[in-house]
Amino acid sequence: MISDIVLLCSSDSLEIAPITHSTRLGTLTAETLSFTPSSREDANWSYAPDHWVDRADENGWGYLMSRTEPCPLVCLSRAKLLLMAAGHHAMVICFALETSIIGMSPDNYHRMVSVDYAGPNADNMKAEDLRTFHIPKDLTVDNSSPRDLRTIKIVAAFVSDEWVWTINDWTTLVRLYVLSTDNQWSAVGTNTDISGSEPDPNPRICQIRIRFGSDTDNPRIGCLISAKAQQ
């Protein structure tokens, strides 16, 4: 059963951290419906540092590094799936064993993602490929771990001026699906609708749906997210 839609009173933008994603496991799948990113000729086109952009380009979704206008954050859940949408991007999260969503101040978020380290994998190549972010010492509890260096694997975040929701998964087994469109996602039938109702006759509306069963395209994720643009 699909849950009620929750509209959060904040204006958020989606940020993806590609350096923590596994290309081999397919952490993120991205598709577009005529999405037009910011021009890279603009010096302020991206929220991401260059090494994030390079990794995203390698994965084929460098456009997700583009800045977008902050918009209301909409949430919709079903079983282990959570859809979060803001502005031009809708992201479906398929939770794994260690997936978590943590809220924090923008200052703490930017302090974390500004410093990254090689991951804990015994294979040095994989460790360099799957990086982790620094947790400042003032955000840790003394004697809570024998390790001095504390890290967190943030794979994505919805960022506003007042608050940040980070999506984290230490094992990188979480699966993310991002659908981007030039229209803006909303809770009810405006430009883009994620209400889960029957297709709206309004030609501007797109539908995003969560389906289960043997007809899924990716059995590793166990779900298929399909979008249909009304002609």
Side-chain angles (χ1 to χ4, degrees):
M1 182 176 180
I2 297 178
S3 73
D4 292 336
I5 293 173
V6 177
L7 177 63
L8 301 182
C9 297
S10 61
S11 292
D12 293 69
S13 298
L14 174 63
E15 295 189 3
I16 303 292
I19 60 172
T20 62
H21 290 218
S22 170
T23 302
R24 180 177 61 86
L25 295 177
T27 303
L28 186 146
T29 300
E31 294 185 40
T32 65
L33 289 173
S34 302
F35 175 65
T36 307
S38 302
S39 171
R40 297 197 181 191
E41 295 180 359
D42 183 351
N44 199 37
W45 77 275
S46 177
Y47 59 82
D50 290 343
H51 64 300
W52 289 25
V53 176
D54 291 342
R55 176 70 68 83
D57 284 339
E58 291 174 5
N59 290 328
W61 33 264
Y63 61 88
L64 291 178
M65 301 296 99
S66 175
R67 292 185 187 275
T68 56
E69 179 184 356
C71 291
L73 177 60
V74 183
C75 300
L76 174 69
S77 66
R78 179 176 182 180
K80 290 177 63 176
L81 299 179
L82 175 66
L83 185 149
M84 301 178 73
H88 300 285
H89 303 303
M91 181 172 69
V92 177
I93 306 164
C94 182
F95 285 80
L97 180 62
E98 296 188 22
T99 308
S100 64
I101 295 180
I102 301 175
M104 64 184 70
S105 69
D107 178 63
N108 285 338
Y109 167 71
H110 288 111
R111 289 167 65 199
M112 289 182 183
V113 299
S114 64
V115 181
D116 59 82
Y117 305 104
N121 199 299
D123 184 314
N124 289 336
M125 184 175 296
K126 292 181 179 179
E128 286 293 333
D129 189 52
L130 292 174
R131 304 186 69 80
T132 59
F133 293 118
H134 174 67
I135 300 179
K137 186 172 178 57
D138 61 290
L139 299 180
T140 65
V141 177
D142 291 340
N143 303 316
S144 60
S145 171
R147 299 180 179 179
D148 292 330
L149 178 65
R150 309 294 182 84
T151 58
I152 184 172
K153 187 170 287 186
I154 299 172
V155 295
F158 283 88
V159 182
S160 72
D161 291 337
E162 296 81 23
W163 197 249
V164 177
W165 295 106
T166 63
I167 295 89
N168 322 279
D169 194 304
W170 186 251
T171 63
T172 324
L173 294 177
V174 65
R175 295 294 178 265
L176 308 175
Y177 174 91
V178 179
L179 180 63
S180 305
T181 172
D182 280 329
N183 292 331
Q184 293 182 351
W185 297 96
S186 62
V188 292
T190 54
N191 288 344
T192 306
D193 186 10
I194 61 171
S195 64
S197 60
E198 291 302 313
D200 193 291
N202 188 323
R204 296 183 303 165
I205 289 182
C206 301
Q207 289 286 328
I208 185 165
R209 294 182 160 254
I210 300 174
R211 296 194 298 161
F212 294 86
S214 59
D215 61 343
T216 58
D217 283 347
N218 191 340
R220 296 179 67 108
I221 298 178
C223 68
L224 171 66
I225 312 302
S226 63
K228 180 179 180 181
Q230 303 300 313
Q231 303 297 323

